[in-house]
Amino acid sequence: MRHEPGSDQIRSHVYHAIKANNLPISTATVYRHINKQYYSYRVFGQRISAIRQVLNTKYELYNMVGLVANDDIDTYASIFALWLEGKTYVPLHPNQP
């Protein structure tokens, strides 16, 4: 496992933020900070699955997708869903498409 500089500080920050917000801490749940919000990998996985279902029903004929890239969980989940479905995406800046 690669140890990134400052990762201990990040883990400490996440731990204290979780405790301050009375969120449950467990070894099976890891929280990710996105745009001042914390999400578990379970929630992230559920978002990915939901987006994959939409891709398979409404966009199954398209291999290339334009993705408006914001700093939110849906953008990150969309990137993973597109990768998992083998689709190509072009990130679009929300203010300069």
Side-chain angles (χ1 to χ4, degrees):
M1 181 199 275
R2 190 175 80 186
H3 183 74
E4 296 180 20
S7 61
D8 290 333
Q9 291 173 329
I10 293 169
R11 276 193 289 274
S12 175
H13 171 73
V14 170
Y15 174 80
H16 291 296
I18 290 169
K19 290 295 277 184
N21 291 305
N22 294 320
L23 298 172
I25 297 175
S26 91
T27 56
T29 304
V30 180
Y31 291 87
R32 174 74 179 122
H33 179 255
I34 300 172
N35 198 20
K36 300 180 182 177
Q37 290 280 88
Y38 289 92
Y39 299 95
S40 69
Y41 281 122
R42 174 183 287 179
V43 170
F44 188 56
Q46 290 169 343
R47 295 274 176 98
I48 292 169
S49 294
I51 294 167
R52 288 182 75 187
Q53 287 177 347
V54 171
L55 289 172
N56 284 324
T57 56
K58 294 186 177 182
Y59 301 99
E60 64 183 330
L61 299 176
Y62 300 100
N63 288 325
M64 294 180 280
V65 178
L67 176 65
V68 177
N70 295 305
D71 186 22
D72 60 19
I73 191 169
D74 291 323
T75 298
Y76 295 109
S78 295
I79 291 169
F80 275 86
L82 289 164
W83 285 342
L84 291 169
E85 293 303 318
K87 298 191 183 294
T88 303
Y89 74 95
V90 175
L92 302 172
H93 191 284
N95 296 327
Q96 301 172 357

